[in-house]
Amino acid sequence: MITFSELGLDERLVQATNALGYVNPTPIQEQAIPVLLSGTKDLVGLAQTGTGKTAAFGLPLLHLVDESQKHPQALVVCPTRELCMQIVSEIELFKKFIPGMHVVAVYGGTSISMQIKDLRRGVQIVVATPGRLIDLIERKAIHLEKIKYVVLDEADEMLNMGFKEDIEFILQNTPEREATWLFSATMPPEIKKVSKKYMTAPFEITVGKVNTGNKNIDHQYYVTQSHQRYEALKRLIDFNPGIYGLIFTRTKIDAQTIAEKLTREGYDIDALHGDLTQQQRDKVMHAFRDKTLQLLIATDVAARGIDVKDITHVINYELPDDTEVYTHRSGRTGRAGSTGICMSIVHSKEIFRLRSIEKLIQSPFNKMELPSGKDVCRKQFYFFMEKLLQADISHGDYETYLPMLQEKFADITKEEVLTRVAAMEFDRFLKYYENAGDLNIREQKRDRKAFGDSPEFGNSRGRERDSRTTQFSDGDTVRLFVNLGTKDGFYKASFLQFILDMSDLKKEVLGRIDMKEMNSWVEIDKKAAKQMISAIDGKNFKGRRIRMNDANSR
Ligand code: AMP
């Protein structure tokens, strides 16, 4: 694997990448950096956020720009204020060892006079949103005459947001422009037109397939009634206690009302939408980045350009109207080599839309079941136990209080203390989920046609799930095998309770239960067998995968 020192970059930049802990260049960096350093004028990079494209253009810019000349030489234009700030903060890190180099961010929604002052300090690199840049040009606060390098980042987003004329204006007003580098996740005809008009034989780089979703992302969908979306969302959040998630809605009113509702119910969430002032937006983003906010709910427009590390889940409260937007949404997780989950809550009438998204992302969707109330409680309970065991007690002066604690709890058993602690933590869940219903719309043949049969995705996980149809033997009952037994701490009654809880079935469906150390056999009404298998098979028990199937088919 190639290293940064082999790309031909200034030693000070290599030093900066080392300081950042970057070991190897990402594919787009490996391809773009040597080409841009070799004097290639124009470049089109088809890459999404998360591929490392900021460094792919940022490092060459810092290499090529002359820090002894105190006027703007490079201009990066991007769609949003957030992206603008992000690019600047990355460039700041890259230029750490080049003291004379200055970079400034100019964007709307904040005091222009401060930005004018910043520009007067003598900067070499300007990162701007189109509207504010034009404002500054018109006020003659920025001069583009000596700009040699123009980078258009997230060009497709800029065109989507109606900045086409602004971009053309900027390109027309950079007379000394030697090089134009355009980055875009997609390649709609308008981008092709811009590149044809303003670029000369651009060098093209495609990272992955155009429009291709990130392969580190598990794309899941959950089918429920439209009016149960909110409940379904809550269940998904509750079933993933360690979630650090970004939720997308189509409208700002949804984002706002859902955030308010969930906040009232004790969730750690805030909303990002177009009605917020810049100050409010900054506050929300700051809290989310700091992880003091566990969940952020946003509209597509408000979330443009947000790059937050380590997002574990993206949840689509509804599918986006525009299929391509799905790629932008899901791309917020599974970044820089990590894995992520993108969950979509869909109504059965929307399932056909998943098909076109699958084609676009070149990846199958996995149909998942919305967890039952009991599943959620169990999951929360395990999470809590883990938290309790991991609690750091090394710092506090707990020894001082120990005698007091011992005295206070002298007449209470350990079990009781634990139960009380658990009750404090989970009362909310237990009460809420006590009588919670099933939110799934049960599988229909139609869904299967739309997905499982899709030959291009071969032996996908979604397919495995669908193909798990058991051939039951004749008679009213069927015997199921399960790889759990007395060694797992079960006795007959607790095992019976466990399988009934997991599958949400009634005791009446069960017949004889035979338990051995390692395995058990369960006799069950033929009609209920499928439900029990799909609820239990593949689930985890104490870190082990449970296997349950028709004993006769083995
Ligand atoms: P970008 O596509 O520019 O938004 O970058 C996505 C994330 O990947 C950023 O948080 C970068 O800090 C990180 N990153 C970029 N290049 C590398 C690299 N070569 N090694 C590790 N992380 C990187």
Side-chain angles (χ1 to χ4, degrees):
M1 250 190 181
I2 196 162
T3 61
F4 276 95
S5 56
E6 293 167 71
L7 296 176
L9 284 166
D10 185 311
E11 198 41 50
R12 294 170 297 178
L13 295 169
V14 176
Q15 211 181 332
T17 58
N18 288 338
L20 279 169
Y22 294 2
V23 180
N24 302 105
T26 63
I28 191 157
Q29 293 161 3
E30 188 177 334
Q31 292 176 63
I33 294 172
V35 166
L36 296 178
L37 297 186
S38 73
T40 299
K41 288 182 177 145
D42 294 339
L43 176 127
V44 171
L46 278 170
Q48 304 178 352
T49 32
T51 52
K53 67 182 161 65
T54 315
F57 65 75
L59 292 168
L61 278 187
L62 288 164
H63 178 104
L64 294 166
V65 161
D66 180 356
E67 76 259 32
S68 67
Q69 302 286 316
K70 306 288 179 202
H71 57 78
Q73 296 161 54
L75 177 64
V76 181
V77 192
C78 63
T80 61
R81 165 194 166 97
E82 270 78 25
L83 186 56
C84 200
M85 295 198 295
Q86 240 163 250
I87 294 172
V88 167
S89 60
E90 282 214 44
I91 293 182
E92 294 276 5
L93 295 169
F94 302 148
K95 72 172 193 63
K96 191 173 164 191
F97 301 107
I98 314 178
M101 189 73 83
H102 299 288
V103 53
V104 68
V106 295
Y107 44 77
T110 187
S111 154
I112 199 164
S113 52
M114 281 303 288
Q115 294 176 353
I116 294 175
K117 264 192 207 148
D118 284 344
L119 285 165
R120 286 204 187 118
R121 285 198 190 115
V123 294
Q124 291 91 353
I125 302 178
V126 178
V127 183
T129 52
R132 176 53 61 97
L133 181 63
I134 294 199
D135 201 350
L136 288 164
I137 297 171
E138 283 166 354
R139 288 170 189 241
K140 303 210 182 313
I142 186 167
H143 302 283
L144 304 186
E145 287 80 38
K146 292 181 181 162
I147 294 282
K148 283 189 180 172
Y149 309 97
V150 172
V151 181
L152 302 175
D153 194 19
E154 300 212 349
D156 52 349
E157 290 283 5
M158 289 201 278
L159 295 198
N160 281 344
M161 289 167 81
F163 287 136
K164 184 165 181 280
E165 274 146 31
D166 294 0
I167 288 166
E168 293 211 37
F169 179 84
I170 293 162
L171 291 171
Q172 285 157 7
N173 285 280
T174 41
E176 292 293 311
R177 179 165 43 92
E178 288 177 9
T180 312
W181 307 339
L182 181 152
F183 291 86
S184 190
T186 57
M187 204 54 185
E190 294 81 14
I191 302 266
K192 284 204 182 111
K193 268 191 225 157
V194 170
S195 102
K196 232 179 165 169
K197 198 162 162 190
Y198 296 97
M199 296 163 89
T200 323
F203 187 85
E204 285 190 21
I205 296 176
T206 303
V207 177
K209 289 200 176 93
V210 186
N211 291 338
T212 296
N214 184 330
K215 294 290 183 238
N216 296 332
I217 301 168
D218 182 6
H219 301 273
Q220 305 179 345
Y221 73 102
Y222 297 80
V223 188
T224 194
Q225 310 269 6
S226 287
H227 69 272
Q228 287 185 315
R229 270 183 213 278
Y230 178 75
E231 288 302 312
L233 172 67
K234 257 176 74 161
R235 227 172 257 199
L236 291 176
I237 296 170
D238 289 340
F239 193 63
N240 293 281
I243 188 172
Y244 176 47
L246 183 55
I247 303 159
F248 283 98
T249 58
R250 275 198 220 148
T251 63
K252 54 187 169 196
I253 193 84
D254 269 352
Q256 199 168 0
T257 48
I258 294 168
E260 279 166 12
K261 244 168 124 177
L262 285 174
T263 305
R264 271 201 302 275
E265 295 186 53
Y267 293 81
D268 192 12
I269 185 167
D270 213 333
L272 199 65
H273 53 77
D275 285 353
L276 301 182
T277 63
Q278 286 299 351
Q279 222 175 2
Q280 289 169 317
R281 280 174 69 93
D282 285 349
K283 207 168 138 211
V284 174
M285 276 314 296
H286 197 263
F288 189 54
R289 267 186 226 286
D290 274 6
K291 300 197 177 165
T292 43
L293 247 197
Q294 192 180 9
L295 298 162
L296 181 67
I297 184 162
T299 55
D300 293 298
V301 174
R304 265 185 195 138
I306 291 177
D307 175 28
V308 178
K309 287 202 178 86
D310 307 327
I311 288 180
T312 57
H313 294 75
V314 165
I315 305 180
N316 291 313
Y317 184 71
E318 279 175 287
L319 284 176
D321 287 327
D322 178 356
T323 311
E324 286 200 357
V325 171
Y326 181 90
T327 328
H328 293 286
R329 289 185 178 184
S330 59
R332 308 307 166 93
T333 184
R335 297 170 80 81
S338 65
T339 54
I341 296 173
C342 182
M343 301 165 147
S344 297
I345 303 172
V346 301
H347 181 258
S348 49
K349 288 197 186 107
E350 295 170 312
I351 288 178
F352 76 98
R353 298 193 43 217
L354 296 173
R355 182 89 170 119
S356 51
I357 299 175
E358 272 191 328
K359 285 224 169 91
L360 184 77
I361 59 175
Q362 294 283 301
S363 197
F365 271 98
N366 292 315
K367 183 175 193 297
M368 306 294 281
E369 298 240 318
L370 282 156
S372 69
K374 294 217 167 75
D375 286 340
V376 172
C377 290
R378 192 172 298 111
K379 191 77 177 271
Q380 287 283 347
F381 197 73
Y382 284 130
F383 184 74
F384 170 70
M385 286 195 295
E386 213 32 56
K387 226 167 64 177
L388 197 64
L389 287 170
Q390 303 292 333
D392 183 4
I393 49 171
S394 61
H395 299 304
D397 182 19
Y398 297 109
E399 302 251 313
T400 316
Y401 302 102
L402 210 55
M404 235 155 70
L405 283 173
Q406 273 163 342
E407 196 190 325
K408 189 89 188 162
F409 293 101
D411 300 330
I412 311 178
T413 62
K414 180 177 158 189
E415 284 72 23
E416 203 178 333
V417 174
L418 286 174
T419 314
R420 282 175 193 275
V421 173
M424 279 168 66
E425 182 87 5
F426 293 102
D427 219 29
R428 169 161 80 100
F429 289 107
L430 292 179
K431 280 205 183 102
Y432 181 79
Y433 283 113
E434 211 165 26
N435 299 311
D438 182 4
L439 296 179
N440 295 287
I441 298 181
R442 292 286 154 200
E443 210 168 288
Q444 287 167 8
K445 282 262 178 327
R446 260 184 313 134
D447 307 1
R448 177 104 26 101
K449 256 219 157 49
F451 293 97
D453 295 347
S454 126
E456 61 262 57
F457 303 122
N459 190 20
S460 70
R461 246 191 297 168
R463 206 174 158 82
E464 279 168 23
R465 227 163 233 287
D466 284 349
S467 65
R468 216 192 288 141
T469 329
T470 316
Q471 288 300 309
F472 293 129
S473 47
D474 287 345
D476 291 330
T477 58
V478 60
R479 233 161 91 88
L480 303 181
F481 162 87
V482 57
N483 62 345
L484 292 174
T486 50
K487 259 250 162 87
D488 296 295
F490 286 116
Y491 47 97
K492 231 174 228 179
S494 63
F495 179 67
L496 184 128
Q497 198 56 51
F498 174 78
I499 57 175
L500 291 176
D501 281 358
M502 291 279 282
S503 56
D504 258 338
L505 287 163
K506 297 251 159 18
K507 208 163 70 208
E508 287 69 35
V509 300
L510 294 179
R512 191 189 154 92
I513 292 182
D514 293 320
M515 293 194 78
K516 295 270 177 308
E517 248 182 38
M518 308 295 287
N519 307 313
S520 305
W521 285 263
V522 180
E523 200 178 18
I524 184 171
D525 186 328
K526 211 172 152 186
K527 292 193 240 47
K530 198 174 165 192
Q531 183 173 333
M532 177 160 284
I533 293 175
S534 65
I536 296 177
D537 185 35
K539 297 273 161 64
N540 265 321
F541 181 75
K542 293 183 179 166
R544 199 152 63 83
R545 191 172 180 274
I546 310 176
R547 192 155 54 81
M548 180 181 252
N549 54 271
D550 180 358
N552 294 335
S553 71
R554 294 183 77 225

